Amino acid sequence: MSFGLLLNAVVCFAIVLATSAFAVSLLHNKKNQKQESAPTINALIVFWSLVGAFFLFAGLRTLAAYGNFNDLERTLYYIGSIPFALVTVPLVYFIIYVILGDTRVSFGVSTVFFIFGGIYLIALFGFGVIGPSNSDWGSTFGVNSDIAINVYLSGLFIVPTSMILGLLLLILLQRIPKRLQNRIAFSLVAISLIFDFMLLDNIAPSGATQMAARIFIFIGVVLGFFVYFTPLSTERDIMENRFGLAQTELLDFEDDDE
Amino acid sequence: MEIDIPFEQEVANFYQSMGITAGPGDIQYRLILLVLAKNGEDKVTRFSEIREYTDKIADRGSIGSKLKAVFQLEGLAIKVGHGGYIITHKGLLAADFMKSTSDYYRKVKTVEKIIERIPA
């Protein structure tokens, strides 16, 4: 029953708020996108919604830990495991569709990861969890099944992370406009940051590690949001710094032409 | 080796848009070279065979003058008898280069499509 647990819950709800805002903004922005990027937008909306759902239950679980409701905590952990296991599905769909541009192949590959997620959940629910063990900064659980941990690490974690890094490398090695390259690279870095720290969050050995992971996740969500919805003032600053040219100066030149 | 005329036209337009109007950006040059390369150093390519590919995009006169002013003059092909041409070693090198320009075009388009699929 410490202040640290409350702070942990606040960080979780901040992540929920940020991911929801991101998903809603993407949904509103959908009509401005090209036809080709519609499936990836949908995948991203599902991805951010699942991240938000996971942290909603994580936040409630931390509040339950603060109130010492152990059974409720365990139930919320189990519910939260569902979005956690499925978060790979839209992510894999996103990466495969970006690389191949084929919705059927993307659907097929993401179905495989859906099955992996299902196996993880069956193993998790079947063998149960060890915990909760509450500390000053968070409430942690241990997964009581080697199968679940192996399925998660080998199928649901290593493969999608390698895919993200591969796509990142592919984009960084191409000669494309720097601004576009930065935007794509940062959005992939944000996804990778969130995905990796979500795993760390779930297998965190202590409350402090969990708290640190959640802070990084929050940073990742904010980074992802600003990549897509950069404030106009920041964008103008970047333009001025990069090209040494302000919009007003361009207008001055236009006057000279006349 | 199949010669895809619309694709070659697309590649030529791509290079023309970058200001490369001769060589890779010239559809007539591309098609003539590819037909000559298709038959190789051992087989004579008839002018009528070249025209099967070029008639859709250029008239007979401009193809004939291109063969004379570029291919024969630069030693990419030698004239054999009446209306026959054989590609030289230099011509085969030029054909290899032409294939690499197609590969580069494909690579650029693939990356462009990947970027289009990422929401901006």
Side-chain angles (χ1 to χ4, degrees):
Chain A
M1 290 213 213
S2 76
F3 180 73
L5 280 171
L6 275 184
L7 192 65
N8 192 332
V10 168
V11 173
C12 285
F13 293 126
I15 295 170
V16 175
L17 206 68
T19 48
S20 310
F22 195 6
V24 170
S25 306
L26 281 174
L27 194 67
H28 283 296
N29 197 36
K30 204 174 151 184
K31 55 182 175 288
N32 301 331
Q33 297 290 329
K34 285 178 189 163
Q35 187 71 33
E36 292 84 4
S37 63
T40 45
I41 277 271
N42 291 335
L44 280 182
I45 291 168
V46 176
F47 173 78
W48 292 111
S49 305
L50 286 172
V51 172
F54 172 72
F55 280 100
L56 176 67
F57 293 111
L60 291 173
R61 180 160 65 85
T62 315
L63 281 183
Y66 184 75
N68 234 352
F69 301 112
N70 285 351
D71 287 340
L72 180 63
E73 232 185 303
R74 198 172 293 112
T75 310
L76 287 167
Y77 181 84
Y78 280 127
I79 301 171
S81 298
I82 299 169
F84 177 72
L86 298 180
V87 81
T88 327
V89 178
L91 187 61
V92 167
Y93 184 93
F94 171 82
I95 296 164
I96 298 292
Y97 180 77
V98 163
I99 294 170
L100 299 177
D102 191 326
T103 47
R104 279 182 302 174
V105 176
S106 315
F107 185 78
V109 177
S110 51
T111 306
V112 173
F113 282 84
F114 181 80
I115 294 166
F116 269 123
I119 295 169
Y120 169 78
L121 287 175
I122 290 166
L124 185 80
F125 290 136
F127 292 98
V129 290
I130 306 160
S133 52
N134 295 339
S135 71
D136 285 350
W137 287 102
S139 118
T140 52
F141 282 86
V143 180
N144 193 22
S145 158
D146 285 343
I147 301 170
I149 293 171
N150 288 335
V151 165
Y152 192 85
L153 282 177
S154 57
L156 296 175
F157 177 71
I158 295 172
V159 178
T161 305
S162 316
M163 284 177 172
I164 297 172
L165 294 179
L167 184 60
L168 189 66
L169 198 68
L170 183 80
I171 297 296
L172 289 177
L173 291 176
Q174 303 306 322
R175 282 199 176 275
I176 54 174
K178 213 74 185 157
R179 258 176 88 214
L180 191 62
Q181 198 176 42
N182 289 346
R183 177 175 274 207
I184 295 168
F186 276 123
S187 70
L188 291 173
V189 166
I191 291 172
S192 173
L193 200 69
I194 290 155
F195 190 64
D196 297 348
F197 278 103
M198 259 176 85
L199 172 80
L200 189 64
D201 180 309
N202 223 30
I203 60 167
S206 70
T209 323
Q210 189 186 59
M211 181 70 186
R214 286 179 182 176
I215 291 170
F216 275 106
I217 291 166
F218 183 64
I219 293 169
V221 178
V222 173
L223 174 71
F225 185 84
F226 281 129
V227 165
Y228 281 101
F229 304 103
T230 317
L232 281 174
S233 56
T234 314
E235 203 153 338
R236 199 161 47 232
D237 287 346
I238 293 167
M239 286 288 281
E240 284 172 21
N241 289 336
R242 184 174 290 278
F243 303 112
L245 205 65
Q247 289 293 316
T248 48
E249 286 173 24
L250 281 172
L251 290 172
D252 290 346
F253 277 118
E254 278 173 22
D255 289 342
D256 285 349
D257 287 343
E258 285 164 14
Chain B
M1 187 183 73
E2 282 295 309
I3 299 169
D4 184 352
I5 301 170
F7 173 73
E8 293 303 328
Q9 183 75 67
E10 228 176 90
V11 182
N13 289 345
F14 169 74
Y15 285 104
Q16 268 183 28
S17 73
M18 295 199 296
I20 306 165
T21 47
D26 182 354
I27 180 66
Q28 295 180 20
Y29 177 86
R30 291 188 78 87
L31 288 178
I32 296 168
L33 196 57
L34 289 175
V35 180
L36 288 169
K38 192 174 91 166
N39 290 333
E41 282 177 298
D42 305 324
K43 198 177 159 195
V44 175
T45 306
R46 309 298 312 169
F47 185 62
S48 56
E49 196 182 339
I50 295 172
R51 282 191 56 205
E52 277 174 33
Y53 293 93
T54 56
D55 271 358
K56 289 162 195 158
I57 47 112
D59 59 84
R60 179 199 163 111
S62 53
I63 296 300
S65 62
K66 179 94 29 179
L67 270 164
K68 200 170 179 181
V70 179
F71 285 82
Q72 279 180 259
L73 194 71
E74 299 298 338
L76 304 178
I78 44 172
K79 195 168 184 181
V80 182
H82 183 72
Y85 297 89
I86 288 183
I87 194 165
T88 59
H89 178 67
K90 201 175 168 186
L92 285 173
L93 287 179
D96 274 350
F97 170 67
M98 213 44 60
K99 277 176 206 154
S100 67
T101 62
S102 300
D103 293 341
Y104 179 73
Y105 170 77
R106 278 194 203 96
K107 190 184 148 208
V108 168
K109 286 288 146 190
T110 307
V111 174
E112 261 180 23
K113 279 177 187 162
I114 285 177
I115 289 163
E116 268 176 16
R117 288 193 286 264
I118 298 175

